[in-house]
Amino acid sequence: MKKRALLSVSDKTGIVEFAKGLVKLGYEIISTGGTAKTLLENGVQNKGISEITQFPECLDGRVKTLHPAVHAGLLAVRSDKTHMAQLDKLGLGTIDIVAVNLYPFKETVLKPDVSFAEAVENIDIGGPTMLRAAAKNYQDVAVLVDPADYAELLQRLNAGDVSVEFKKLLQYKVFAHTAVYDSLISNYLAKQLNIEFPQDLTLAFSKRQDLRYGENPHQNGAFYADALAAKSSLSQAVILQGKELSYNNINDAAGALDLLNEFSECACVAVKHANPCGAAVKKTPLDAYKAAYDADPISIFGGIAAFNRKVDKAAAEEMIKIFLEIIIAPDYDADAAEVFKQKPNLRVLKIAGLDTPVSMRGVLDAKRIYGGLLVQDKDASLFDEGQLKVVTRRAPDKTELQQLKFAFAVVKHVKSNGIAVARDFSAIGTGGGQTNRIWAAKQALERAGEKAKGAVLASDAFFPFSDCAEEAAKAGITAIIQPGGSIRDQESIDVCNKYGIAMVFVGQRHFKH
């Protein structure tokens, strides 16, 4: 029985060379639509699918490979005499190699203003069916969904070494690919129906890179990108120079981008161990960096500096004075890029779109626990302006109120329990990750030092006792912003009134664990 290969691909990468290699090995090529045309234009003779099925393609191509002549040839077990006798009786041949990749559903739904009808039309039916049939019969059919595997299969065919283990690998790739494909479809449909937390949650991610190790050297690790990742996400970063990113680099950088997304003005944020150690909004990247550095010159060492504006030479020259792991920005001046080359191990990342905050509404956060997954919508808002309530006799003046909002944006991204002290749109002290709030307050105020006099303070959750207000008063804080809601709120209010501190409640907590 003549060996046959069925080729039907939307991505034509490498398909002509692959087909020519199969022809040299004596395979008859079966093809469909655009693939058949591409092969003929490049001198590869092939049979159209209708010649095999003896049935015309119909319904605008929706039905062409969904036919027993195709699927019997894929699913017949060659070692089963009954199967082979049935093929012979029906006048059907086997199909021994399948190369299929699917309608571009992902690319379709990523297009702006794509219609629901267009998205649905790009749901492949025949392709996944052929892939799954061929993969089920892996011992007899070599099935390829990835053009990168064409060359290896040809090499193995020429050497007579198409092992069962290799076919099992191809089988695995098929089911992984179709699982992701179906996940993209189900997630798209869930969004259309405003289903935030479906009964069965499927997530589609593709490996971006293997990591040298995980959080610690004895742990293995890898980085997976969301299949529908936005251009301003970390998975879309272009690494302009430096070593590969580590697990901790990626985790810290993600935290930096989350905080950076709070600001539309020119900003720089500094992050160490996924915690902000500096943040500033200024007129230039240089001024923003200097202010972020001054907030904590010790912690920023070995940390990350992230910007939402193009980095110029002046900022670059300032940053290379210390050891930084990563610099992130939407772009860099050519002379700034030259400056960074003085430190070849410094990782310099370019991420488009950072100059414009992105809405996080509809984005899900997930945390893996042993035996399950915690899922929530992302903490996408700061607070509702309508909920802002002055609770002290003195109200913050206009300048204080602006500083309070800045400080609250920073503390939202500090590990809980979290406190941030700010002045002049700079975070001059942060305290985070503490098991009680007073320790976080003392830590933040200690880091701020004398600069705390005349500054403002933000807390990610309410004051359970009046001790935080007392510490703020001792340090010279003039205004406080916090969610409020403690049964002891009045005690903190009384302390603020005693010392002339303005305090506002916003009714929205920002725990971050």
Side-chain angles (χ1 to χ4, degrees):
M1 191 176 288
K2 189 175 181 65
K3 293 282 187 180
R4 298 190 300 174
L6 195 161
L7 312 181
S8 179
V9 294
S10 58
D11 177 3
K12 306 296 190 292
T13 303
I15 196 64
V16 172
E17 293 77 13
F18 182 53
K20 288 180 177 178
L22 292 175
V23 169
K24 286 183 180 179
L25 289 164
Y27 281 81
E28 180 180 68
I29 306 298
I30 306 167
S31 196
T32 65
T35 306
K37 181 180 177 183
T38 297
L39 295 179
L40 287 172
E41 288 173 348
N42 287 274
V44 180
Q45 294 300 311
N46 61 91
K47 282 189 174 182
I49 196 69
S50 294
E51 293 183 63
I52 304 302
T53 63
Q54 295 298 300
F55 195 91
E57 294 185 20
C58 61
L59 306 181
D60 297 320
R62 285 189 170 199
V63 177
K64 49 190 172 186
T65 60
L66 297 169
H67 193 279
V70 173
H71 288 278
L74 295 174
L75 287 164
V77 177
R78 308 323 189 235
S79 61
D80 188 318
K81 292 181 179 179
T82 303
H83 281 198
M84 300 310 290
Q86 287 179 341
L87 284 188
D88 188 54
K89 182 179 179 180
L90 294 168
L92 303 177
T94 59
I95 298 174
D96 308 284
I97 293 174
V98 172
V100 170
N101 48 61
L102 308 176
Y103 291 176
F105 181 81
K106 180 176 82 169
E107 292 76 9
T108 300
V109 297
L110 282 174
K111 291 190 299 185
D113 302 320
V114 63
S115 69
F116 183 74
E118 184 181 0
V120 170
E121 197 59 35
N122 276 277
I123 296 175
D124 203 327
I125 302 301
T129 306
M130 283 193 294
L131 286 172
R132 292 169 65 84
K136 178 171 182 172
N137 202 22
Y138 72 93
Q139 73 276 5
D140 294 318
V141 183
V143 53
L144 302 101
V145 73
D146 184 354
D149 291 322
Y150 295 166
E152 183 173 358
L153 179 58
L154 284 176
Q155 183 181 359
R156 286 176 174 272
L157 287 168
N158 279 295
D161 181 32
V162 185
S163 64
V164 172
E165 285 70 26
F166 180 63
K167 286 185 175 180
K168 282 184 178 180
L169 175 62
L170 298 179
Q171 176 194 43
Y172 154 75
K173 283 191 170 188
V174 165
F175 286 108
H177 184 75
T178 56
V180 168
Y181 193 77
D182 285 339
S183 293
L184 290 171
I185 295 168
S186 65
N187 289 336
Y188 171 79
L189 295 175
K191 283 187 177 181
Q192 299 302 305
L193 295 168
N194 294 315
I195 299 173
E196 185 175 21
F197 300 111
Q199 183 63 36
D200 297 298
L201 179 64
T202 57
L203 302 174
F205 289 85
S206 298
K207 187 161 68 175
R208 177 72 185 266
Q209 68 183 87
D210 287 309
L211 303 173
R212 284 187 298 159
Y213 51 82
E215 200 164 9
N216 298 291
H218 63 279
Q219 296 172 270
N220 296 323
F223 177 35
Y224 286 81
D226 189 328
L228 297 177
K231 67 177 183 178
S232 57
S233 64
L234 184 59
S235 62
Q236 304 302 302
V238 177
I239 301 177
L240 302 181
Q241 71 163 58
K243 298 183 293 184
E244 284 191 351
L245 296 171
S246 70
Y247 181 101
N248 292 328
N249 290 154
I250 293 168
N251 189 49
D252 290 355
L257 294 182
D258 280 348
L259 174 53
L260 192 67
N261 194 56
E262 298 288 344
F263 308 114
S264 57
E265 307 90 340
C266 176
C268 172
V269 302
V271 169
K272 183 72 170 292
H273 293 174
N275 244 331
C277 58
V281 169
K282 299 293 180 183
K283 290 184 178 181
T284 69
L286 174 61
D287 291 339
Y289 170 73
K290 283 183 174 180
Y293 171 85
D294 288 341
D296 190 346
I298 296 174
S299 295
I300 196 174
F301 185 87
I304 294 174
F307 299 82
N308 61 2
R309 294 291 188 274
K310 179 188 282 190
V311 169
D312 56 18
K313 182 180 180 182
E317 288 178 334
E318 191 68 24
M319 282 185 278
I320 66 165
K321 291 179 181 178
I322 66 166
F323 168 56
L324 291 171
E325 287 274 10
I326 303 173
I327 295 169
I328 304 172
D331 206 352
Y332 302 86
D333 286 339
D335 50 5
E338 287 299 316
V339 170
F340 292 137
K341 289 180 181 178
Q342 297 177 40
K343 291 196 168 184
N345 287 333
L346 172 64
R347 301 163 176 92
V348 179
L349 275 58
K350 177 180 175 180
I351 303 179
L354 293 183
D355 50 350
T356 304
V358 177
S359 173
M360 292 295 171
R361 295 191 184 279
V363 176
L364 293 182
D365 259 344
K367 181 181 291 185
R368 184 65 190 260
I369 61 171
Y370 184 63
L373 193 71
L374 283 170
V375 180
Q376 62 178 349
D377 57 4
K378 199 166 180 68
D379 190 356
S381 64
L382 193 59
F383 63 86
D384 183 345
E385 290 278 353
Q387 289 184 288
L388 191 148
K389 179 182 178 183
V390 177
V391 295
T392 49
R393 286 193 291 268
R394 187 175 81 80
D397 61 31
K398 182 178 179 180
T399 299
E400 284 176 322
L401 187 57
Q402 290 176 327
Q403 298 300 319
L404 287 170
K405 291 177 179 178
F406 169 82
F408 202 56
V410 173
V411 83
K412 173 184 173 183
H413 298 274
V414 175
K415 299 292 184 184
S416 299
N417 288 314
I419 298 288
V421 178
R423 68 183 304 157
D424 300 327
F425 297 105
S426 299
I428 58 175
T430 58
Q434 301 304 306
T435 51
N436 61 69
R437 192 153 300 279
I438 187 59
W439 287 357
K442 287 181 176 181
Q443 187 181 68
L445 291 165
E446 181 182 349
R447 288 178 177 175
E450 289 297 314
K451 294 179 182 178
K453 292 179 180 178
V456 304
L457 180 146
S459 175
D460 68 337
F462 62 61
F463 292 163
F465 304 102
S466 62
D467 49 3
C468 290
E470 292 278 5
E471 288 296 323
K474 289 178 189 176
I477 293 295
T478 67
I480 294 172
I481 187 170
Q482 58 138 314
S486 168
I487 60 172
R488 295 176 178 268
D489 276 344
Q490 190 58 49
E491 294 176 15
S492 295
I493 293 170
D494 290 343
V495 169
C496 289
N497 283 332
K498 178 180 177 181
Y499 294 103
I501 297 172
M503 185 159 66
V504 298
F505 288 175
V506 295
Q508 187 161 327
R509 187 182 73 187
H510 290 292
F511 272 166
K512 186 179 179 68
H513 296 116

